Amino acid sequence: MTNLITIREYDTKDKNEVINLIRLNTPGYFAVDEEEDLNKYLETERELYYVLLYDQKLVGCGGINFADNNTTGKISWDILHPDYQGKSLGTKLLKYRIDKLNSIDGVQKITVRTSQVAYKFYEKQGFELFEIKKDYWAEGFDMYNMEYKQK
């Protein structure tokens, strides 16, 4: 039997599992203080947020936010369980959101802000780097600002 992958909208009941995902990825991918930022995001800043289930287990999450009068879609808070990285699940979740943004009238560009730890992943998916801010997220975590260029 093949493993079932489901992407669905985030539900507030998912919060503890999502917070656990960031904990599993700290300090490798996220600074310690970012757990608090994610918590605030989920409570007050979330616009569109999705979870990825692998065999009904929540193993990934990621969102979309909007800027510039809804003409820019921003990929936000991508997190994948360490045991499930390198299996194309992050790619599936990202492509799902890119397709979603491409289906929304008025969205003219797609951006992501990430760190030096993950920017190569986005580069492989068609994003181009246009700005780096040193120690932006925390000391040792630079901000890589990238824009999606349709392939």
Side-chain angles (χ1 to χ4, degrees), residues 3-87:
N3 294 309
L4 184 64
I5 297 168
T6 307
I7 297 173
R8 65 162 170 78
E9 286 195 30
Y10 168 86
D11 185 288
T12 53
K13 293 187 293 267
D14 299 323
K15 185 175 179 187
N16 287 341
E17 288 179 89
V18 168
I19 294 296
N20 188 52
L21 289 179
I22 197 170
R23 288 179 181 150
L24 292 170
N25 282 284
T26 303
Y29 288 90
F30 295 95
V32 175
D33 294 345
E34 289 185 272
E35 180 181 327
E36 190 177 312
D37 295 341
L38 176 60
N39 192 48
K40 180 181 173 210
Y41 172 86
L42 292 172
E43 293 290 325
T44 63
E45 299 165 3
R46 175 174 45 88
E47 291 182 66
L48 298 174
Y49 204 68
Y50 302 94
V51 293
L52 185 142
L53 306 170
Y54 187 83
D55 284 345
Q56 301 178 13
K57 175 183 164 127
L58 196 156
V59 300
C61 52
I64 296 171
N65 286 76
F66 297 93
D68 307 320
N69 291 322
N70 295 332
T71 61
T72 300
K74 296 170 22 175
I75 299 295
S76 56
W77 286 108
D78 284 337
I79 312 171
L80 203 61
H81 191 294
D83 293 347
Y84 294 84
Q85 292 171 8
K87 300 180 186 318

Side-chain angles (χ1 to χ4, degrees), residues 71-143:
T71 61
T72 300
K74 296 170 22 175
I75 299 295
S76 56
W77 286 108
D78 284 337
I79 312 171
L80 203 61
H81 191 294
D83 293 347
Y84 294 84
Q85 292 171 8
K87 300 180 186 318
S88 298
L89 299 175
T91 301
K92 284 183 184 359
L93 183 57
L94 179 61
K95 286 189 184 310
Y96 179 88
R97 288 174 293 151
I98 289 170
D99 290 346
K100 180 71 118 178
L101 284 165
N102 283 331
S103 75
I104 298 173
D105 286 339
V107 172
Q108 296 167 15
K109 75 177 175 179
I110 300 171
T111 63
V112 67
R113 297 184 318 164
T114 188
S115 72
Q116 71 271 29
V117 184
Y119 92 97
K120 285 283 189 196
F121 165 76
Y122 294 100
E123 200 172 61
K124 284 183 200 157
Q125 307 307 320
F127 285 81
E128 289 181 9
L129 180 65
F130 68 87
E131 177 186 36
I132 298 173
K133 290 186 179 175
K134 192 112 177 85
D135 296 329
Y136 181 86
W137 307 112
E139 189 174 336
F141 284 90
D142 303 338
M143 190 256 286

